[in-house]
Amino acid sequence: MADKDFRVFVLSHFWLAFGAFGLACVMGFYQVLERSGFIEAIQSPQVYFASVSTHGVLMGFVLTTFFIMGFGYLVATTSLKMPIWNPKLAWAGFGIAVFGTVMAAIQLLLGKASVLYTFYPPVQASVFFYLGATLLVVGSWFWAAIMVVMFVQWKKAHPGETVPLPMFANTANAMLWLWTSAGVAMEVVFQLVPWTLGWIDTVDVGLARTLFSWTLHPIVYFWLIPAYIALYCLVPQAAGGKLFSHDLARIAFILLLVFGLPIGFHHLYMDPEQGKGFKMIHGIGTFLVALPTLMTGFTVIASLEKAGRDAGGQGLFGWIGTLRWSNPMVLSAILAFLMLIAGGFGGIVNASYAMNAMVHNTAWVPGHFHLIFGGTTVIMYFAVAYAVWPRLTGKALISGSLPLVQLWSWFIGMIILSTPWHILGLLGQPRRISSVVYNSLLTLAWDPYELAMIIGGAVLLGSAMLFLHILAKSQKRGEPVTEQAAEIHYAESEHPVVRMPALLNGFGFWNLVILALMLANFGYPILQFFLIKTYGSTGWGY
Amino acid sequence: MSNDDNQHDFPDEAHALKGSSDHLHIDPLEKKWIYVALGLIGVFVATILYTAFAKHVHPPGEMETIDSARLHLSEEFAEDNLGVVTQADGSVKVTLVAARYGFYPREIRIPAGQPITFRIASADVLHGIHVPMTNMATMVVPGYVSTVTTTFPKPGEYPMLCNEYCGMGHDHMWSKVTVVSRESWQAGNTQTQGR
Ligand code: HEM
Ligand SMILES: [Cu+2]
Ligand SMILES: [Cu+2]
């Protein structure tokens, strides 16, 4: 692929991702308004649940998948310094994913798929929704395969050499995604599609939920790893420093890959169809996978500290002041960490085998994942977009300060939105309700928090529109930049990178470990549905 | 390609490559942090194990199946058998059916300060049950029976609400729980028995 075609290719991914994001933000704002019940005229469960289903799919599946694919292609070509393997296949994957997205989106917007982004049978959506979602995933498998092939080709051409960290992490994410998506793919292909088409009368809801939980946890690492790639490989460079610990970074990515997968049952703590023993094992695994995140926090903060001290910062905290707060990448990293710390505490509550009962399916949960997914992860997506835009468009950003305004407002809006959302959860408000009709004094205390959420939502919507404006305007009217000036630079390591042991330079062995862990943690829990007599459910409207 | 070839191609890296493969660079401070992190994780895991095994705090998970399409034919979940029952040993059992859009029976009265066992089955789709500000929570999955045992510390009126999307009437799916003090519960019970 010539460079120009390549840029169009990656930009297509990014614009699809960010277009979906913009649309979903408009819906998000409508949702906070509707659910508050303050405006009688817009009250409608039909519209609300169609909207939440669309918003969830656009944010959780469309924004993420297309962003990750685009960024992945960029990382592969720039860090390996080789062109995309098989551009036709890459375009085909993109085309299939777009086709699937459009197909699913039509059903969602028509209100024929108001089953939320988690599907949850036995409420049943139009078959085109399930097929569309499947095609989106199939398209992303093309991407994953291309990443793996490029990884292998590079290693063949450079025997004994260490695969650059960004590509190592990127390939870990491709592998992770292949493993992750297998759960929901089985649910859709063997259960939901045949059932919706009437080939089978019933589905076992317990099995469906178990397969979905296989996907539901590691998918968050699929979303998060690009943010971690930016934190490890782009942030230290942007801060004027170096990566503090290259070797442990590789270990962190492997830990995410291996231990992120076999722990999905923390989504089923409250479910009757799985036993306490397996829930506890998955629960312990959930805490283990905090390790790579804690390691990431340390390494990235250490890299920032060194950069801050090199810039003259002194004393215990003086280095914080001398950081490049006016660099979008550095600013995003700082704000992302602040949200990650707050969200991490919340996550401990959710993950707790016992404490989960208190917050399960309350408003706490969307409060939590907006903070950590919509906050930490997405703010790093913004930072990446700003960083690579000149490389992709050949134009400089139109302004140095607008991106900072945008990032700050996203952070502030997210705090205003998610703090009251958490509190509402503790006050007992369930998630996914379009109005409050419980005839109980309890609910009177909810109103002020609903108001705060509307304000947070408005700030976020403004910030999202500013983001799109900066990207579009820069692409059209930015000052042209030379290719050299737009080059993407990955952070150098503080210590020279020596030859890595094979285990830290490839995934063969780790895939076997994952296979063993998945068999141990999901083997019997899935098999049991075929060993005992279970009762399936016919499809229900909504 | 052997190391020697590499030395030739990349003189800068020659030094680093020599004898240093398989030798990872881990900063001493970072090593300490990893121990701290592992210690933290250990504390969390130990807490979970302690509450589970010493205090018997577990989430639900009995893996008991039932035909949700034929609840009315099951002994336990037939309409006449739903509601609150004080058993011979004085323990209280509540049998509920979750169906769009309510938990049946729609109003129940139970005592505070003693363990209550709930048995719940769905007659249609997925539901969730939650009594805010208490530990009474479980998913209700069609095809399976949910069992939860919990104690309500404080008397009062509580909504028992559905917390899993189940259709357009989901917002309206709730029932009323009246938790009464133990004294008035016992007084009430002797009255009924005396009648
Ligand atoms: C303008 C900013 C946003 C606002 C105001 C907003 C608001 C909302 C609201 C009100 C809901 C419905 C929750 C419920 O009914 O319980 C929701 C759902 C959801 N949001 Fe957002 N959101 C925003 C941005 C985001 C972002 C950036 C992400 C992630 C990238 C995100 C991911 C999701 C997901 C996955 C759901 C589905 C949750 C479910 O099905 O329970 N949102 N959002
Ligand atoms: Cu999870
Ligand atoms: Cu419901």
Side-chain angles (χ1 to χ4, degrees):
Chain A
M1 215 183 276
D3 188 60
K4 184 164 169 296
D5 298 335
F6 175 72
R7 293 199 259 171
V8 171
F9 179 63
V10 174
L11 274 174
S12 310
H13 284 79
F14 280 178
W15 271 119
L16 216 124
F18 296 140
F21 162 79
L23 180 62
C25 280
V26 174
M27 298 179 141
F29 180 65
Y30 150 80
Q31 286 157 203
V32 281
L33 266 189
E34 203 276 2
R35 68 197 289 288
S36 72
F38 294 161
I39 306 173
E40 196 57 49
I42 60 168
Q43 292 292 300
S44 157
Q46 280 79 12
V47 179
Y48 184 82
F49 289 117
S51 174
V52 175
S53 301
T54 313
H55 171 90
V57 168
L58 289 180
M59 291 297 196
F61 301 146
V62 181
L63 160 68
T64 49
T65 307
F66 283 99
F67 176 83
I68 292 165
M69 295 201 301
F71 183 51
Y73 286 123
L74 196 59
V75 165
T77 49
T78 53
S79 70
L80 300 183
K81 305 207 169 30
M82 59 193 259
I84 288 189
W85 175 73
N86 206 333
K88 282 211 183 93
L89 204 67
W91 271 114
F94 177 73
I96 292 172
V98 172
F99 182 75
T101 302
V102 171
M103 188 155 144
I106 291 172
Q107 302 304 314
L108 282 162
L109 293 172
L110 291 176
K112 292 188 174 168
S114 299
V115 297
L116 303 178
Y117 83 118
T118 41
F119 299 178
Y120 288 170
V123 285
Q124 200 177 51
S126 143
V127 71
F128 295 108
F129 171 68
Y130 300 125
L131 289 175
T134 307
L135 289 178
L136 169 58
V137 173
V138 169
S140 72
W141 286 344
F142 284 50
W143 165 79
I146 292 170
M147 293 301 104
V148 173
V149 168
M150 288 178 72
F151 179 87
V152 171
Q153 281 183 340
W154 190 90
K155 273 182 76 173
K156 278 225 179 89
H158 302 78
E161 284 184 44
T162 299
V163 179
L165 178 63
M167 186 56 187
F168 182 75
N170 187 36
T171 312
N173 207 22
M175 303 261 177
L176 176 83
W177 180 235
L178 291 173
W179 278 103
T180 301
S181 52
V184 71
M186 285 189 277
E187 180 193 356
V188 171
V189 172
F190 295 120
Q191 294 195 292
L192 301 187
V193 168
W195 172 65
T196 313
L197 291 176
W199 299 344
I200 54 176
D201 294 331
T202 63
V203 291
D204 185 332
V205 179
L207 175 60
R209 288 177 65 74
T210 302
L211 290 174
F212 199 83
S213 82
W214 162 323
T215 297
L216 197 52
H217 191 69
I219 199 173
V220 307
Y221 295 118
F222 172 61
W223 301 335
L224 194 60
I225 283 180
Y228 277 19
I229 294 178
L231 286 174
Y232 276 114
C233 305
L234 297 174
V235 168
Q237 171 79 19
K242 292 181 171 177
L243 173 57
F244 183 73
S245 180
H246 163 275
D247 298 5
L248 276 179
R250 298 175 94 90
I251 297 180
F253 282 112
I254 286 179
L255 288 175
L256 282 176
L257 168 63
V258 172
F259 290 111
L261 272 156
I263 57 179
F265 280 14
H266 58 230
H267 295 272
L268 301 183
Y269 280 152
M270 290 294 119
D271 275 38
E273 78 277 0
Q274 292 296 348
K276 296 167 188 176
F278 276 105
K279 287 179 184 173
M280 181 177 282
I281 292 171
H282 284 234
I284 292 170
T286 303
F287 279 99
L288 290 182
V289 79
L291 183 63
T293 292
L294 290 167
M295 285 163 58
T296 303
F298 183 89
T299 305
V300 178
I301 291 173
S303 311
L304 286 175
E305 179 178 343
K306 281 219 146 165
R309 289 197 188 285
D310 287 350
Q314 276 165 8
L316 198 53
F317 295 114
W319 59 272
I320 298 178
T322 51
L323 286 176
R324 294 181 183 167
W325 287 79
S326 57
N327 178 297
M329 183 62 74
V330 176
L331 177 63
S332 301
I334 297 168
L335 300 178
F337 267 117
L338 291 176
M339 292 187 277
L340 183 65
I341 292 167
F345 280 112
I348 291 172
V349 175
N350 304 342
S352 291
Y353 179 71
M355 261 193 295
N356 176 268
M358 202 168 69
V359 296
H360 176 79
N361 268 357
T362 65
W364 170 282
V365 175
H368 168 73
F369 69 70
H370 277 80
L371 184 58
I372 218 155
F373 174 28
T376 301
T377 307
V378 169
I379 209 167
M380 292 311 297
Y381 289 8
F382 296 154
V384 166
Y386 292 139
V388 304
W389 219 242
R391 170 73 182 77
L392 293 177
T393 61
K395 311 270 181 68
L397 294 181
I398 41 161
S399 152
S401 55
L402 275 186
L404 304 179
V405 173
Q406 190 270 321
L407 294 167
W408 273 111
S409 58
W410 189 258
F411 170 73
I412 293 167
M414 198 49 90
I415 299 296
I416 305 177
L417 176 78
S418 65
T419 310
W421 219 341
H422 279 83
I423 298 173
L424 280 170
L426 294 179
L427 292 174
Q429 185 182 87
R431 74 193 280 191
R432 297 170 161 173
I433 50 170
S434 72
S435 60
V436 173
V437 296
Y438 314 121
N439 188 4
S440 164
L441 288 178
L442 183 75
T443 60
L444 287 183
W446 295 353
D447 279 354
Y449 300 102
E450 300 275 358
L451 182 64
M453 284 180 64
I454 295 175
I455 297 169
V459 175
L460 286 169
L461 179 58
S463 176
M465 293 305 131
L466 181 57
F467 172 68
L468 296 178
H469 169 80
I470 295 169
L471 294 190
K473 250 311 187 359
S474 303
Q475 185 168 352
K476 248 190 178 158
R477 304 237 156 82
E479 292 286 325
V481 286
T482 62
E483 205 168 304
Q484 229 168 356
E487 206 54 65
I488 295 167
H489 296 286
Y490 296 105
E492 282 172 42
S493 168
E494 189 80 39
H495 307 279
V497 175
V498 299
R499 201 172 87 189
M500 287 288 119
L503 284 183
L504 293 186
N505 206 30
F507 297 99
F509 172 75
W510 299 113
N511 278 315
L512 291 178
V513 174
I514 294 171
L515 181 66
L517 286 173
M518 290 304 276
L519 277 175
N521 277 10
F522 278 93
Y524 179 76
I526 290 176
L527 193 65
Q528 66 161 354
F529 295 103
F530 301 94
L531 300 178
I532 55 176
K533 166 106 186 88
T534 60
Y535 300 90
S537 291
T538 52
W540 293 78
Y542 37 83
Chain B
M1 206 191 278
S2 74
N3 272 3
D4 289 348
D5 293 336
N6 266 339
Q7 271 183 28
H8 211 74
D9 294 336
F10 308 103
D12 293 354
E13 289 177 40
H15 173 70
L17 278 169
K18 214 178 216 166
S20 48
S21 72
D22 299 337
H23 179 82
L24 297 183
H25 184 276
I26 301 179
D27 191 90
L29 243 148
E30 191 154 35
K31 208 175 250 173
K32 270 189 209 146
W33 170 248
I34 291 181
Y35 289 132
V36 172
L38 283 172
L40 256 169
I41 292 169
V43 170
F44 290 133
V45 171
T47 313
I48 292 179
L49 293 177
Y50 173 75
T51 52
F53 290 110
K55 300 276 175 186
H56 306 287
V57 182
H58 285 282
E62 308 298 334
M63 302 190 282
E64 188 184 336
T65 60
I66 192 164
D67 188 349
S68 280
R70 293 194 179 71
L71 283 187
H72 54 286
L73 301 179
S74 76
E75 174 83 11
E76 185 177 6
F77 293 98
E79 204 173 337
D80 294 343
N81 298 337
L82 300 180
V84 185
V85 179
T86 308
Q87 285 167 311
D89 62 356
S91 68
V92 175
K93 185 183 145 195
V94 183
T95 310
L96 296 173
V97 164
R100 298 201 285 195
Y101 289 105
F103 298 100
Y104 300 91
R106 296 297 297 261
E107 290 191 22
I108 58 170
R109 193 170 157 273
I110 48 174
Q114 76 174 74
I116 316 250
T117 297
F118 288 85
R119 303 258 305 154
I120 312 150
S122 168
D124 43 44
V125 300
L126 203 57
H127 299 282
I129 190 166
H130 186 205
V131 180
M133 325 301 277
T134 77
N135 284 332
M136 169 52 191
T138 183
M139 294 297 297
V140 185
V141 179
Y144 300 84
V145 179
S146 302
T147 307
V148 211
T149 302
T150 189
T151 304
F152 293 80
K154 273 198 244 137
E157 277 203 2
Y158 297 83
M160 173 192 284
L161 41 94
C162 180
N163 70 2
E164 186 54 271
Y165 171 72
C166 52
M168 291 304 148
H170 170 56
D171 306 353
H172 296 266
M173 179 156 172
W174 65 287
S175 299
K176 206 159 94 184
V177 182
T178 309
V179 180
V180 300
S181 70
R182 268 184 102 139
E183 297 74 52
S184 50
W185 175 258
Q186 269 149 5
N189 266 8
T190 26
Q191 259 176 27
T192 348
Q193 273 157 20
R195 237 186 264 159

